[in-house]
Amino acid sequence: MDSKKSPKWSLDITTIDAGEMCLQLSGTWKMRANLPDIDIIKKSLGKHTNISKLRIDTSALKTWDTGLLTFLRDLHRLCEAQHIDYNPEELPKGVQSLLLLAEEAPEKYRHLFSSHRISLFEKVGTETLKITAIIMGIIIFVGDISLSLYRLFLGKARFLISDLILFFQEAGVYALGIVTLINFLVGLILAYIGAVQLSQFGAQIYIANLVSIGVIREMAPIMTAIIMAGRTGAAYAAQLGTMQVNEEIDALRTLAIRPMDFLVLPRTLALVLMLPLLCLYGDLVGIMGGGIIGVFVLKLSILRYSVQTLSSISIADVFLGITKSAVFGILIAVASCHRGMKCGRSAEAVGKATTSAVVTSLVLIISADALFAVFTNALGI
Amino acid sequence: MCAVSDDVQISVRKMDMRYRHETLLKDLNFDVHTQDVFVIMGESGCGKSTLLRHMIGLTRPRHGDIFYQGKSFWHCGPEQREEMMQHFGVMYQNGALWTSMTLVENVALPLKQFTTLTRRKIKHAVEFKLALVGLDGYGDYYPAELSGGMRKRAAIARAMALDPKILFFDEPSAGLDPINSKRLDELLLELRDNFGATIVVVTHELDSIFSIANNSIFIEPKVKSIIGRGNPKKLLETTDNPKIIEFLTRGERYE
Ligand SMILES: Nc1ncnc2c1ncn2[C@@H]1O[C@H](COP(=O)(O)OP(=O)(O)O)[C@@H](O)[C@H]1O
Ligand SMILES: [Mg+2]
């Protein structure tokens, strides 16, 4: 706490003819005082080739801290390397005992081939192996989830019902606000886009068809899935990742509780069951969003708009939307839980797991949707 | 008890601590002198870590204050408090190492932030600190790749990084083997003797308590206060409180 300026350090290097060099350390040797570098000693040793003995005079040394100790440690190493005689017993007692404490430590064997260079082939090979390992990991994870589900049907899966209810709540009711907002706006946007085009042909009433089919087949499932990937998928990855960091998952394993059943299964169930429900709800809200434009902006009558909407909705479309949602739910759950379970043991790893859970989910959702488009087209649904 | 004499480093005055609405400890008064090895004792859950949190500036006391060399710690601006906190080195009970940094990076961070040392000097200082706690050669490891005791030692190295004037250790030897625990005791005494450090330790290690502490307090949760203080050896000789005797003898003393 004393901030008064302390006297400076000084280092005098003198050579005595008989191959002996004397270092005189005096003043205050504190870490923050811009202490000399060991290179100074190295240099003056280089000038006099025949030095075989080093003396250190610390009689005028006042206060010191780690700065002095690291300097002396470097000096010690230097002397060892250049086979120079050096007597540490001339140092103050405290310095000696602290240096000794640092040397005493059982030194770990350093990596023997740390400077080993990696060839391009080796790099390509290890990266390929890494990627295959990741893919294998995902396949195994999917297999594990399937086994978990199988155990669930046998009634053997062990998890907390209270957890499950919480996850339902978290992935269901609590998501309603954002799902409402986004789907409403998407319905509205669809209606606007259509309005400009269709009113050129005097076919405003077909806005109802555009909105209901667009929302039910594509927009509601996709948008809801994206929301849930960002909201719930990220949360799952972060929860499981943090549990991994704290060794909580290991603690479950040692109790012979399967983390797959206990952690992943309820989360997956929640997403797979809640996403279709949210999607149905999103259908409704989206159609309403479009309807608002139809009625208030395009001045269509509510009755006509409703009838047109109802006539344009087919059960097949609704089922398609729900099926998509369920598939997206599985994809999000698998991607997020997989990332969480495979998380490393650091704060940074949790961040990475969360990011990668969301990104993977989004890629999977959009790819799956494209596949759906191709197949439904081929099947004429 | 009220006059703050010259060599008093820390004085805690009339301090109350509480969580939510429950008072944990009340009316704490004690002094830590410069170059003390000061031990805080008490059964687990009595509030030792909480007391440390108050002393290092993480939690504001409900009432009362702490004085560092006579300067108020809690009734002053945040800048002054931060200025005082720069002289602290803290080892948290669970290590609290930064998990996404290697050991070298963990210990180097305070040096990088608060000194203008060159990278090479920082590297050497860090290596030295790691060597002091017996972790030479583990610099490139991440905390998750170490054993619990090693993590604890790395946390100690980090606390010592800046050669602080006051060191706070929360159960440093819990989870350490006897050899490392003894080395740690030696290290604490060396830090005190050579760097003039004041050391506040929470510990249950009876060997340490008797061999290194020259002052202590004993906290009793039932009365929410301090029921014993002073040099632990003398405390054991003079006290007639059965709780303290049991604690300091592990209940093995026969009368
Ligand atoms: N963040 C917190 N909120 C509420 N109570 C707490 C909190 N942290 C600790 N406590 C309570 O304070 C008491 C003392 O805790 P602590 O200081 O960690 O004890 P110890 O003496 O073992 O270090 C315990 O009873 C604990 O339940
Ligand atoms: Mg504690």
Side-chain angles (χ1 to χ4, degrees):
Chain A
M1 249 139 267
D2 46 359
S3 54
K4 50 180 185 283
K5 265 274 163 284
S6 39
K8 249 182 81 76
W9 56 270
S10 75
L11 171 69
D12 293 317
I13 308 173
T14 47
T15 37
I16 311 162
D17 24 280
E20 196 174 332
M21 184 184 260
C22 178
L23 302 183
Q24 192 178 26
L25 279 58
S26 54
T28 303
W29 280 67
K30 293 245 172 144
M31 194 162 51
R32 292 168 197 247
N34 199 12
L35 291 177
D37 208 272
I38 196 70
D39 287 343
I40 297 183
I41 314 282
K42 225 185 239 170
K43 242 183 237 159
S44 53
L45 277 177
K47 267 186 239 156
H48 312 269
T49 42
N50 56 345
I51 303 282
S52 62
K53 197 160 184 233
L54 195 72
R55 279 195 49 215
I56 300 177
D57 177 6
T58 53
S59 50
L61 189 66
K62 292 208 180 72
T63 49
W64 48 271
D65 69 358
T66 302
L68 175 73
L69 296 171
T70 50
F71 178 81
L72 290 175
R73 238 162 91 91
D74 289 349
L75 186 66
H76 183 76
R77 295 221 176 105
L78 183 67
C79 289
E80 258 179 5
Q82 306 207 359
H83 306 289
I84 293 171
D85 217 11
Y86 150 81
N87 186 8
E89 269 156 41
E90 294 161 351
L91 297 171
K93 264 216 107 22
V95 174
Q96 279 184 44
S97 44
L98 275 169
L99 286 178
L100 202 66
L101 262 180
E103 294 305 327
E104 252 179 20
E107 189 165 336
K108 185 180 176 317
Y109 294 124
R110 285 170 206 287
H111 294 298
L112 290 175
F113 20 78
S114 53
S115 59
H116 166 74
R117 292 193 64 164
I118 302 167
S119 73
L120 181 67
F121 282 120
E122 197 179 336
K123 233 182 216 169
V124 171
T126 43
E127 286 303 311
T128 314
L129 285 180
K130 253 190 227 162
I131 293 172
T132 41
I134 290 176
I135 294 174
M136 277 310 287
I138 294 176
I139 294 173
I140 291 173
F141 193 80
V142 171
D144 279 345
I145 289 194
S146 315
L147 285 177
S148 248
L149 279 172
Y150 176 64
R151 281 195 293 274
L152 176 73
F153 286 119
L154 294 183
K156 281 185 187 161
R158 207 177 297 187
F159 59 86
L160 300 177
I161 298 296
S162 58
D163 266 6
L164 185 66
I165 292 170
L166 260 173
F167 289 132
F168 275 138
Q169 206 172 14
E170 183 51 49
V173 184
Y174 293 162
L176 278 180
I178 181 88
V179 168
T180 309
L181 178 72
I182 300 290
N183 279 298
F184 183 82
L185 291 180
V186 163
L188 206 127
I189 293 165
L190 270 185
Y192 259 123
I193 296 173
V196 179
Q197 310 299 325
L198 293 173
S199 52
Q200 286 175 357
F201 307 103
Q204 288 97 321
I205 189 62
Y206 289 106
I207 297 282
N209 297 47
L210 176 84
V211 168
S212 61
I213 293 175
V215 163
I216 291 175
R217 282 181 71 108
E218 284 298 332
M219 294 322 274
I222 284 267
M223 294 318 282
T224 314
I226 288 177
I227 293 166
M228 296 311 278
R231 211 183 152 275
T232 311
Y236 287 177
Q239 287 161 2
L240 296 178
T242 313
M243 291 183 79
Q244 191 68 260
V245 172
N246 291 338
E247 304 182 54
E248 292 172 50
I249 293 179
D250 297 343
L252 285 175
R253 280 213 183 91
T254 51
L255 276 178
I257 295 174
R258 290 195 177 90
M260 263 312 176
D261 293 5
F262 194 83
L263 300 172
V264 176
L265 189 60
R267 286 175 168 81
T268 309
L269 283 180
L271 262 184
V272 173
L273 296 180
M274 284 298 130
L275 206 55
L277 289 182
L278 284 175
C279 171
L280 260 185
Y281 171 77
D283 288 349
L284 214 69
V285 179
I287 289 173
M288 268 167 53
I292 298 257
I293 299 300
V295 171
F296 291 104
V297 178
L298 303 176
K299 309 283 184 228
L300 300 166
S301 84
I302 297 184
L303 189 67
R304 257 190 89 196
Y305 193 93
S306 316
V307 170
Q308 187 71 22
T309 300
L310 282 178
S311 71
S312 69
I313 297 175
S314 76
I315 291 297
D317 287 345
V318 176
F319 267 113
L320 175 65
I322 291 179
T323 314
K324 275 185 179 181
S325 283
V327 171
F328 294 161
I330 295 174
L331 294 177
I332 298 171
V334 170
S336 309
C337 293
H338 177 254
R339 293 303 160 151
M341 296 292 284
K342 292 282 174 289
C343 178
R345 297 228 156 139
S346 72
E348 196 189 3
V350 176
K352 271 193 191 145
T354 312
T355 311
S356 126
V358 175
V359 173
T360 315
S361 300
L362 294 187
V363 170
L364 288 177
I365 290 168
I366 304 291
S367 317
D369 194 53
L371 280 183
F372 267 113
V374 172
F375 281 123
T376 48
N377 189 40
L379 296 175
I381 299 172
Chain B
M1 274 293 271
C2 262
V4 176
S5 80
D6 232 12
D7 74 329
V8 173
Q9 183 72 261
I10 313 171
S11 40
V12 173
R13 287 290 173 270
K14 294 189 177 154
M15 192 167 78
D16 287 6
M17 318 187 310
R18 62 167 76 169
Y19 276 121
R20 292 186 211 113
H21 296 292
E22 201 174 332
T23 300
L24 201 58
L25 293 173
K26 57 179 194 290
D27 200 26
L28 296 183
N29 288 291
F30 61 88
D31 288 338
V32 180
H33 295 259
T34 307
Q35 294 198 298
D36 264 359
V37 174
F38 189 92
V39 172
I40 300 173
M41 300 179 284
E43 65 189 65
S44 61
C46 72
K48 303 179 297 294
S49 298
T50 310
L51 176 57
L52 275 194
R53 284 180 66 84
H54 285 75
M55 293 175 77
I56 61 182
L58 290 178
T59 314
R60 181 178 277 279
R62 186 64 201 197
H63 291 294
D65 202 352
I66 302 172
F67 298 87
Y68 283 93
Q69 295 198 330
K71 275 188 251 157
S72 167
F73 185 58
W74 283 110
H75 292 107
C76 69
E79 294 87 18
Q80 282 119 302
R81 188 154 51 243
E82 269 169 24
E83 155 73 24
M84 291 189 220
M85 281 159 72
Q86 282 189 18
H87 300 279
F88 299 172
V90 184
M91 188 222 115
Y92 297 87
Q93 187 163 7
N94 56 7
L97 293 170
W98 297 300
T99 48
S100 16
M101 298 184 200
T102 61
L103 290 199
V104 166
E105 288 165 342
N106 262 284
V107 182
L109 185 73
L111 290 164
K112 281 188 190 147
Q113 290 297 310
F114 296 108
T115 68
T116 52
L117 296 182
T118 59
R119 284 178 59 177
R120 190 163 148 208
K121 275 192 192 149
I122 288 183
K123 183 169 169 276
H124 287 192
V126 169
E127 273 171 8
F128 175 65
K129 290 289 153 71
L130 285 176
L132 274 183
V133 293
L135 286 176
D136 203 2
Y138 285 94
D140 293 334
Y141 281 59
Y142 283 92
E145 299 167 343
L146 297 179
S147 78
M150 288 160 86
R151 253 176 262 166
K152 210 137 221 185
R153 284 185 274 149
I156 293 166
R158 188 180 68 185
M160 299 187 307
L162 287 167
D163 288 340
K165 279 263 168 292
I166 309 177
L167 281 157
F168 296 93
F169 292 122
D170 198 346
E171 304 200 13
S173 42
L176 287 195
D177 58 284
I179 297 171
N180 272 304
S181 171
K182 173 137 190 309
R183 277 172 53 91
L184 177 65
D185 287 351
E186 272 172 49
L187 179 60
L188 293 192
L189 293 181
E190 293 293 344
L191 290 179
R192 179 194 64 183
D193 295 340
N194 295 305
F195 299 164
T198 306
I199 298 169
V200 179
V201 200
V202 172
T203 184
H204 307 292
E205 206 66 27
L206 288 181
D207 290 340
S208 297
I209 291 177
F210 288 121
S211 62
I212 64 170
N214 65 333
N215 201 353
S216 71
I217 54 173
F218 191 99
I219 296 173
E220 166 61 48
K222 286 213 186 82
V223 297
K224 300 186 174 178
S225 193
I226 298 170
I227 55 168
R229 60 178 81 220
N231 187 316
K233 280 181 218 142
K234 288 221 186 82
L235 179 64
L236 180 59
E237 279 165 19
T238 54
T239 189
D240 46 13
N241 187 310
K243 186 100 183 215
I244 299 179
I245 295 173
E246 193 184 356
F247 187 99
L248 287 177
T249 60
R250 273 203 222 153
E252 285 164 9
R253 185 156 113 176
Y254 38 88
E255 300 274 338

